[in-house]
Amino acid sequence: MSHDVHVEARSEEEYKYNRRKASLAMRNQVTVFAIMIFLTFVAFATVQAEFSKYLVVPLILLFAGVQVALQLYYFMHLSEKGTGIMQFFMYSGMIVAFTMILAFVTIIWW
């Protein structure tokens, strides 16, 4: 009993295009990873330098938000085509969560 195997041959141009595309994606991921390591280092440095907590806490929260956005966009492949529905639901959930947190903080604060 033999099994038929379908082999799809690519042209040299397709191979080079796919190779270039993969190389660019890897370069973007390494660059974003370096940026996130730098942001983490800056956050640790501000805490270590014993700056005012009124500066450190918002700075750390800002860096955390930037890192979440970068991780979602690059490492979870939301930058690729065909992820529109997933992006819509994620961003809608973030807006609802932000609104709820803002409402509760406002209620508690006053």
Side-chain angles (χ1 to χ4, degrees):
M1 181 176 271
S2 68
H3 296 285
D4 292 332
V5 177
H6 177 69
V7 177
E8 185 175 321
R10 293 186 199 167
S11 68
E12 186 68 25
E13 292 81 25
E14 289 175 327
Y15 176 76
K16 287 181 181 179
Y17 173 76
N18 289 336
R19 183 91 172 171
R20 204 171 328 127
K21 188 175 175 183
S23 173
L24 181 62
M26 181 60 74
R27 188 175 348 154
N28 284 342
Q29 286 189 350
V30 169
T31 303
V32 168
F33 180 71
I35 290 170
M36 288 191 300
I37 293 295
F38 176 73
L39 291 176
T40 303
F41 174 74
V42 171
F44 276 117
T46 57
V47 172
Q48 185 66 28
E50 297 179 359
F51 287 128
S52 170
K53 69 177 180 179
Y54 297 110
L55 171 69
V56 172
V57 172
L59 189 69
I60 289 175
L61 291 175
L62 174 70
F63 287 167
V66 169
Q67 287 188 5
V68 165
L70 289 175
Q71 286 179 9
L72 285 174
Y73 195 72
Y74 284 102
F75 295 132
M76 299 304 288
H77 303 287
L78 290 182
S79 60
E80 296 176 0
K81 290 182 180 178
T83 60
I85 295 294
M86 194 167 37
Q87 286 180 0
F88 172 74
F89 283 114
M90 287 178 63
Y91 294 140
S92 298
M94 287 181 200
I95 289 171
V96 168
F98 176 74
T99 306
M100 295 290 289
I101 291 170
L102 184 64
F104 286 133
V105 167
T106 304
I107 290 169
I108 291 171
W109 207 316
W110 280 338

